[in-house]
Amino acid sequence: MILNRVQNWWQSKQLHWLEKRIPGADEFSLDHKNIFIFPTSFGFLYLLLSLCLFLLGSNYQNNLMLLLCYFLLALFLVCLFSCYINIKGLRVKLGKCTPGFAGQNLYQGVWLESDTPPLGKFHLHYWQNKDLVSQEYCRHTQFKLAISFNSRGIYQLPRITIKNFYPLGLLKCWSHLAFPQKLVIYPTPRPAAIPSNTNSAHKDENGVQPSHVLGTDEFYSLEKHQRGQPMHHIDWKQMARGRGMLTKHFVSYQRQAIWLKLSPALGNDLEEQLQKLCFLVLDLSQKNQDFGLDLGHSKLPLACGEKHKELCLKSLAIYPRKLVDVEH
Amino acid sequence: MLSINRSHLLLTLCLGATTLTLIDAIQFWVVLLLLISSISRLLVIFHWQKQPLSQRVINMLALLFAIPLLYLGWQIGLLLAMLNLLLIAASLKLLRMANNRDYFQLIALEFFLIACGFIFQQSMLYTLVYMLLVMLTLMSLAYHISPSLSWRQHLNHIGKLTLQALPISILLFLVLPQIGPLWQVSGNSSASTGLSEKITPGDIANLSQSSDLAFRASFKGHIPDASQRYWRAIVLEDFDGRSWQIAAQRKRVERAYIQSKKPFTPNLSGPVFHYDIISEPTQQNWLYALDVGVSNTRDVRLNYAYQLTSAYPLTTSFRYQLNSYYEQPLIAPLPQLDRHLGLQLPLAGNSETQQWVTALRARYRDNNQFIQQVLAFFQHGNFRYTLKPPPMPTDSVDKLLFEYKAGFCSHYASAFAYIMRLAGIPARLVTGYLGGEYLGEDTLSVYQYDAHAWVEIWHDETGWQRIDPTVLVSPERLSGGLEQAVAYEASFLAQSPFALAKLKNIAWLNSLRLQLEQFDFMWSRWVLGFNSQQQLALFEQLLGDLNYYNLAALTFAVIFVIGLLLAIFHLPQWRKQALPMEQKLYVKALALLEQRGITRPHWSGAQDFSLSVKRHVNPQAGSDFEQFTQIYLNLCYDPKHKSEKSYKQNIKQQKLLLKKLAKGLRQS
């Protein structure tokens, strides 16, 4: 309990310090201002070994052992420089991250670029997160860092830690980089039925119920042929029976508009409603139907398409805040 | 095709090789364990088998192996027990190398084992082998950190790191203080070589089969003649009828003097030999000196029997400075003790000799006359000097003098000292070396086969005096060494048929042997034998006077030099990375243009600027710059030029254009 609190306090202290030391930026070039170097646990073991060799070498008055000890120490010193030079000048950029749903893994791309290729495996992970992505540098390599959130919302991308142990694993060279990237997490979709009373509950702007629209999907009626109507819609069988030229009419229900409404007053769990709405948004978008979203404090007009879907999902994610607030 | 874990493979091989170099010090079953775990590791590395054993089994095995080791530890000594323990730990780690931590611990163990190797092997050859092993271990680490690089690249990097670290480590070695031993370490007593504190006549004959080096002495000034090269080492005063050993009482007295910190400082005068001795490791405390030798080297002590001892067993080459006063009589500092010990006799045995001595002594009451008679007996009694004496387990003196009449130096020395004691003349046995082979002009190499034993007898006025009965039996031993003394029976180094020392008569082989010896001498002298004394001498040479200011200045100078070395190693790379090459070249081109008064406004793009430049310079330079700008832009923004090969080509092209541009601008 206390330990936890101390840990939290210490972390926030660290983050505060990092905020001053390495403020957020769109792109980083690693240099002495943002690289940290410290011996690894193996490095400490190695130093302890050197100490043991010094004691043993002194006690046995064994010059070769002493030479080996000094060689190991000198190597440590040289490594200190070469590990720094190795990752100095490395440029770190963020790639795109497609938004995702709560509980699902999101993959944030991180690009490393350097003029002189740095050596050794790079280990990337988020701040205080144990999941590593380890890979060696190669021209135009992207690291895909997985992250997941349990609840919807809009999140700041945590600091990305980039580590390297070149040349001998004695020293850890690392940096905690902050990118001003926001991650939008949609609610987890929860299956729900398309509301049936949508038509009566919601009138169009004109007050007219949206009706069927001529289309191509389903046979609707036969009507007398008029000039200009497509020839292949003429019901030739009827004509053969001598009933004159009749044209088959088809309708499409696609453009039937649906309003999705959030009703917090209903007493249902708000999150559950949002999850259901999320499902419906996805579902309707897939069926290519028009729909609008009414969240009480803001409305998204009837529309359809990728852009509309994204807007809807985003406003579900940030509810009760409004899109307008978030953008600015 | 699964990839092979090269870093594990290298480490396994290194461990195996290190074990091989230590094979004499390791228990048989430990070697077996290591072999099994290496094979199992190799099977895993080549994907013929999965990770074999669980942690629990490993723990059980560890316990299983720890018990016999605990038991053995008492017998084989702390050092060997530790080494075996380390190897068991390494084998078990190797058996189950599950994660990074195991791997890194094993690496540390490997380094430690290599270091332990230096306790046992210090020759140049072994040092080379161990250097190679250190490099391979570092390679293994490098493979672990960046697995995709080729071995050539790794070798390149590790080589560079090593070359950078070497000068720093040598500097550290030269200037970091050589502190003495912090506590008494247990030597590798089972491997002690050379003379021993108890000899049974015949033992030295065994030593004579060894062509190993015992020590080397480098003289300043004149070198002793062959007849003066009696290197004293151990004084043996306790005779039990068969073996000679150091008297218990002598040991007690010396211990008391050491504890009361009373050094023995005899009055010394007369001519002196100045020389340095570098002794090979013996795991014992005895040192060698001609006659009365005194040393000012730390931890070297002259004791009351005129023996030189080191405070610590020689686990490594030991270098000490000596002044030998070769005409100085060995006046007994403790006459009563010396007399008492010098007259001690075994309780029984050798009755024939006793009768012979009683009879002879009755005829010659004068000590000198008596001694002359005995010596004459040795000289003219048809005695034979041999490396293959018949065994004389009981009444050995009787059998030597009256039955076999054949023996080795220790037989004659033992018999002579016994006769003297029977006659009431204090006598003692001294072991050491007799001889020395020239190495260069002022250095003598002394080998184990030069081991020798002789007698010191007591004179009331002049103290202990050396008498070597062996020389009377075989004068060649003194003039031509052991090889000539036993040439008649061809027994010199008979047990080592390939010893280079045996092939002295083949000229080129002998010169090769001497060349190797010369290298080895340099190695022992400047590397193995470098100690605090030489270090101080070095400091004095550098600084003149050793005061605090100078030492502080030296410290800063060393830190400065190390800093300088690091700067030299790393500054070029440091600067190289500041800008990518194409940008650097572009900046250079801009500077060239600026000299002509054409400055690029900060708002102007590279392409626009190249067009505006065209209007200001001659057409050739203008088109060169345009081309140059195009390549620059391609390299900066077009990813298809980023491949290694095309990048290099483009940079080359850019450099060429820059040169042309500079030329063109100068013309206009």
Side-chain angles (χ1 to χ4, degrees):
Chain A
M1 189 54 190
I2 288 174
L3 201 73
N4 244 344
R5 209 180 290 172
V6 169
Q7 225 169 4
N8 283 342
W9 172 82
W10 173 238
Q11 273 196 24
S12 69
K13 209 68 180 166
Q14 271 178 298
L15 275 176
H16 189 71
W17 183 81
L18 276 174
E19 206 52 56
K20 270 195 224 155
R21 175 93 198 172
I22 311 174
D26 289 324
E27 184 186 336
F28 285 94
S29 173
L30 297 186
D31 58 13
H32 62 276
K33 284 184 212 115
N34 47 26
I35 294 177
F36 306 109
I37 300 177
F38 202 67
T40 54
S41 54
F42 171 57
F44 280 114
L45 184 68
Y46 180 93
L47 290 177
L48 186 74
L49 171 90
S50 302
L51 182 71
C52 286
L53 290 192
F54 180 73
L55 290 179
L56 208 64
S58 289
N59 269 345
Y60 280 99
Q61 307 228 290
N62 191 319
N63 282 343
L64 293 178
M65 217 187 261
L66 284 177
L67 261 172
L68 179 64
C69 162
Y70 297 147
F71 173 72
L72 292 182
L73 283 178
L75 198 68
F76 193 88
L77 198 65
V78 172
C79 282
L80 192 68
F81 283 82
S82 63
C83 82
Y84 171 72
I85 281 173
N86 182 44
I87 70 164
K88 180 182 172 285
L90 183 74
R91 293 185 294 277
V92 186
K93 272 186 244 175
L94 274 195
K96 258 200 178 161
C97 181
T98 43
F101 302 94
Q104 183 197 26
N105 268 345
L106 264 72
Y107 291 93
Q108 171 68 55
V110 182
W111 290 93
L112 301 188
E113 259 183 45
S114 182
D115 305 309
T116 47
L119 303 167
K121 268 187 190 164
F122 280 93
H123 307 272
L124 270 73
H125 64 84
Y126 288 111
W127 174 259
Q128 297 299 335
N129 189 325
K130 293 260 153 42
D131 298 336
L132 276 181
V133 178
S134 301
Q135 212 172 308
E136 272 179 278
Y137 175 88
C138 163
R139 247 170 204 281
H140 304 290
T141 21
Q142 196 185 15
F143 287 72
K144 295 225 158 190
L145 276 175
I147 194 168
S148 69
F149 294 93
N150 287 327
S151 55
R152 69 187 174 83
I154 186 156
Y155 292 92
Q156 168 63 43
L157 186 76
R159 275 182 183 267
I160 291 176
T161 304
I162 172 164
K163 283 194 280 196
N164 186 291
F165 297 98
Y166 180 84
L168 299 174
L170 296 169
L171 293 149
K172 179 168 104 167
C173 240
W174 80 101
S175 190
H176 300 293
L177 303 175
F179 294 94
Q181 172 107 333
K182 296 269 195 297
L183 293 175
V184 182
I185 305 297
Y186 307 144
T188 324
R190 180 187 285 248
I194 299 173
S196 53
N197 58 345
T198 44
N199 288 359
S200 58
H202 298 277
K203 298 264 161 72
D204 220 339
E205 266 106 283
N206 312 330
V208 182
Q209 277 188 15
S211 57
H212 47 256
V213 177
L214 286 180
T216 52
D217 288 356
E218 234 166 280
F219 176 71
Y220 183 66
S221 63
L222 281 172
E223 272 166 30
K224 201 169 163 78
H225 178 74
Q226 282 164 11
R227 258 179 163 203
Q229 285 176 334
M231 292 289 277
H232 62 267
H233 279 185
I234 293 171
D235 194 341
W236 297 107
K237 280 185 192 159
Q238 299 288 343
M239 202 174 86
R241 287 180 197 141
R243 292 184 189 162
M245 272 171 87
L246 296 174
T247 307
K248 288 188 265 187
H249 279 238
F250 295 87
V251 287
S252 152
Y253 292 106
Q254 271 175 350
R255 308 225 51 123
Q256 223 168 8
I258 297 171
W259 274 98
L260 301 176
K261 191 172 189 255
L262 179 76
S263 34
L266 278 178
N268 287 354
D269 185 20
L270 176 71
E271 287 305 316
E272 198 180 311
Q273 278 195 51
L274 287 169
Q275 286 170 359
K276 281 182 175 165
L277 286 177
C278 176
F279 175 83
L280 290 174
V281 168
L282 292 173
D283 193 35
L284 292 173
S285 295
Q286 204 193 353
K287 286 180 181 153
N288 215 9
Q289 274 182 352
D290 273 8
F291 64 92
L293 185 65
D294 180 3
L295 294 173
H297 62 45
S298 63
K299 276 188 190 176
L300 284 162
L302 281 170
C304 139
E306 268 311 294
K307 182 115 201 205
H308 179 63
K309 179 178 97 177
E310 263 173 40
L311 279 177
C312 289
L313 287 174
K314 193 170 176 186
S315 40
L316 287 176
I318 60 173
Y319 185 85
R321 287 198 289 164
K322 295 179 191 171
L323 270 182
V324 201
D325 301 341
V326 174
E327 307 271 287
H328 302 292
Chain B
M1 174 75 192
L2 288 160
S3 67
I4 290 165
N5 189 333
R6 288 200 169 78
S7 78
H8 287 193
L9 181 65
L10 269 173
L11 182 56
T12 313
L13 295 180
C14 279
L15 260 174
T18 314
T19 313
L20 221 59
T21 65
L22 292 169
I23 201 102
D24 290 337
I26 303 167
Q27 299 288 317
F28 167 72
W29 48 277
V30 179
V31 176
L32 207 67
L33 175 67
L34 189 91
L35 195 69
I36 291 169
S37 49
S38 304
I39 290 172
S40 118
R41 175 52 49 191
L42 287 178
L43 290 180
V44 174
I45 289 170
F46 289 106
H47 305 287
W48 291 326
Q49 200 191 343
K50 288 244 154 51
Q51 191 73 261
L53 297 172
S54 72
Q55 190 60 51
R56 193 192 280 170
V57 178
I58 302 278
N59 289 344
M60 297 257 290
L61 272 176
L63 206 65
L64 200 72
F65 282 107
I67 293 165
L69 196 69
L70 218 66
Y71 168 72
L72 267 173
W74 295 113
Q75 297 174 9
I76 61 179
L78 193 65
L79 178 70
L80 291 187
M82 181 193 78
L83 191 70
N84 280 289
L85 187 73
L86 277 178
L87 260 168
I88 291 175
S91 313
L92 295 178
K93 270 271 170 260
L94 193 63
L95 212 49
R96 179 164 179 83
M97 197 152 47
N99 51 30
N100 274 346
R101 230 177 83 186
D102 289 343
Y103 171 78
F104 283 130
Q105 284 170 358
L106 198 55
I107 288 274
L109 266 176
E110 165 65 11
F111 276 131
F112 203 83
L113 282 172
I114 289 176
C116 283
F118 285 132
I119 297 178
F120 302 93
Q121 316 281 6
Q122 296 166 16
S123 66
M124 249 190 304
L125 185 72
Y126 269 103
T127 308
L128 268 177
V129 168
Y130 283 133
M131 264 164 67
L132 197 72
L133 284 175
V134 168
M135 292 280 283
L136 286 177
T137 314
L138 291 177
M139 284 276 275
S140 162
L141 265 178
Y143 264 119
H144 187 80
I145 301 299
S146 19
S148 73
L149 294 191
S150 70
W151 66 269
R152 210 184 276 270
Q153 281 168 304
H154 278 307
L155 201 65
N156 192 3
H157 291 151
I158 294 298
K160 219 185 264 172
L161 286 177
T162 309
L163 284 183
Q164 289 172 355
L166 265 181
I168 298 176
S169 51
I170 289 170
L171 193 66
L172 287 176
F173 175 70
L174 289 179
V175 300
L176 278 187
Q178 288 251 352
I179 58 171
L182 299 172
W183 61 84
Q184 187 80 42
V185 288
S186 74
N188 180 16
S189 52
S190 64
S192 69
T193 53
L195 305 165
S196 58
E197 296 182 2
K198 175 178 182 175
I199 66 161
T200 306
D203 284 358
I204 287 189
N206 291 335
L207 202 55
S208 301
Q209 293 295 345
S210 161
S211 61
D212 289 343
L213 185 73
F215 60 90
R216 289 200 182 95
S218 346
F219 289 85
K220 294 184 199 82
H222 58 302
I223 297 185
D225 305 331
S227 64
Q228 287 177 305
R229 293 179 200 152
Y230 279 91
W231 309 92
R232 285 175 101 250
I234 309 176
V235 175
L236 307 165
E237 288 165 305
D238 182 56
F239 183 49
D240 65 357
R242 191 159 173 262
S243 308
W244 289 82
Q245 56 186 322
I246 299 173
Q249 204 177 346
R250 171 74 68 190
K251 280 189 182 170
R252 271 202 300 279
V253 169
E254 286 302 333
R255 216 172 295 138
Y257 276 117
I258 288 174
Q259 268 162 17
S260 60
K261 298 215 166 66
K262 264 196 192 154
F264 173 42
T265 47
N267 289 321
L268 299 167
S269 59
V272 190
F273 291 126
H274 299 283
Y275 58 109
D276 272 3
I277 283 187
I278 303 171
S279 168
E280 291 291 293
T282 57
Q283 319 293 338
Q284 301 187 65
N285 298 59
W286 306 110
L287 300 176
Y288 324 99
L290 292 166
D291 303 297
V292 182
V294 287
S295 170
N296 57 16
T297 305
R298 193 176 65 186
D299 298 333
V300 175
R301 178 175 175 274
L302 183 68
N303 77 7
Y304 286 77
Y306 290 95
Q307 302 175 90
L308 274 184
T309 54
S310 145
Y312 304 96
L314 304 191
T315 54
T316 171
S317 286
F318 181 66
R319 176 172 175 173
Y320 55 103
Q321 174 272 330
L322 272 172
N323 295 324
S324 273
Y325 295 80
Y326 55 92
E327 285 179 5
Q328 169 82 21
L330 275 68
I331 305 286
L334 310 166
Q336 281 190 331
L337 177 75
D338 282 19
R339 273 187 75 89
H340 170 70
L341 292 175
L343 287 171
Q344 174 267 341
L345 282 167
L347 294 173
N350 298 313
S351 51
E352 211 174 327
T353 312
Q354 284 180 32
Q355 286 162 17
W356 181 79
V357 170
T358 319
L360 194 70
R361 187 62 167 162
R363 283 165 56 201
Y364 301 96
R365 299 306 307 170
D366 179 54
N367 281 355
N368 279 339
Q369 279 186 347
F370 177 76
I371 294 166
Q372 287 310 317
Q373 286 305 313
V374 176
L375 288 176
F377 173 68
F378 275 96
Q379 198 167 0
H380 307 296
N382 278 329
F383 285 100
R384 195 161 55 89
Y385 183 73
T386 177
L387 274 178
K388 298 182 275 191
M392 297 172 251
T394 55
D395 292 335
S396 59
V397 180
D398 281 2
K399 289 206 167 111
L400 172 76
L401 293 183
F402 306 113
E403 196 175 324
Y404 299 123
K405 290 185 180 273
F408 193 59
C409 59
S410 47
H411 291 97
Y412 294 112
S414 165
F416 187 79
Y418 180 60
I419 292 169
M420 288 298 122
R421 285 184 174 189
L422 284 174
I425 303 169
R428 60 192 188 185
L429 203 71
V430 178
T431 57
Y433 295 87
L434 168 61
E437 180 190 49
Y438 272 102
L439 178 72
E441 282 181 359
D442 49 7
T443 301
L444 290 174
S445 303
V446 178
Y447 300 91
Q448 293 298 352
Y449 57 69
D450 291 320
H452 193 56
W454 60 92
V455 180
E456 281 177 354
I457 59 171
W458 173 270
H459 277 260
D460 286 330
E461 302 90 48
T462 53
W464 292 102
Q465 213 169 39
R466 179 176 68 222
I467 290 186
D468 187 358
T470 313
V471 176
L472 297 173
V473 172
S474 165
E476 297 88 1
R477 176 67 183 87
L478 186 63
S479 55
L482 179 74
E483 193 182 3
Q484 288 186 21
V486 297
Y488 74 95
E489 62 175 16
S491 60
F492 180 64
L493 297 179
Q495 286 166 21
S496 35
F498 300 112
L500 278 176
K502 270 179 89 173
L503 306 168
K504 282 181 189 168
N505 46 357
I506 302 174
W508 68 270
L509 263 181
N510 199 39
S511 77
L512 177 75
R513 181 183 68 95
L514 287 175
Q515 198 62 52
L516 288 176
E517 297 248 323
Q518 194 71 46
F519 279 133
D520 192 57
F521 175 54
M522 289 296 157
W523 178 248
S524 308
R525 185 170 188 169
W526 298 115
V527 181
L528 301 180
F530 184 82
N531 58 22
S532 52
Q533 208 174 6
Q534 271 101 54
Q535 197 171 37
L536 276 182
L538 182 77
F539 287 174
E540 266 168 358
Q541 230 171 23
L542 280 175
L543 307 170
D545 184 21
L546 287 185
N547 55 34
Y548 283 113
Y549 287 116
N550 279 346
L551 283 179
L554 181 72
T555 314
F556 282 118
V558 166
I559 293 171
F560 176 74
V561 169
I562 291 178
L564 197 70
L565 281 173
L566 287 171
I568 290 170
F569 299 148
H570 295 112
L571 221 52
Q573 296 168 47
W574 209 297
R575 287 178 46 203
K576 201 170 75 194
Q577 282 204 339
L579 277 178
M581 201 59 204
E582 66 268 17
Q583 269 183 42
K584 223 154 112 182
L585 289 172
Y586 189 70
V587 169
K588 263 189 197 167
L590 288 185
L592 276 177
L593 288 170
E594 201 154 336
Q595 279 173 10
R596 299 273 139 194
I598 308 163
T599 321
R600 177 182 161 188
H602 69 272
W603 39 261
S604 164
Q607 198 125 38
D608 294 342
F609 181 60
S610 83
L611 291 179
S612 80
V613 165
K614 245 183 164 174
R615 288 195 293 272
H616 289 96
V617 297
N618 60 30
Q620 182 56 41
S623 79
D624 282 344
F625 186 68
E626 193 181 8
Q627 236 181 314
F628 181 85
T629 307
Q630 197 49 50
I631 294 175
Y632 164 67
L633 288 173
N634 282 346
L635 287 180
C636 281
Y637 301 110
D638 192 349
K640 79 171 177 253
H641 288 285
K642 289 245 169 173
S643 85
E644 211 70 60
K645 206 174 147 199
S646 131
Y647 181 80
K648 267 189 190 152
Q649 259 175 9
N650 276 315
I651 289 287
K652 213 168 151 191
Q653 180 76 21
Q654 223 185 348
K655 279 182 183 163
L656 208 75
L657 282 168
L658 186 67
K659 247 184 226 161
K660 273 168 86 180
L661 179 70
K663 218 167 158 192
L665 285 177
R666 245 179 279 132
Q667 280 163 4
S668 67

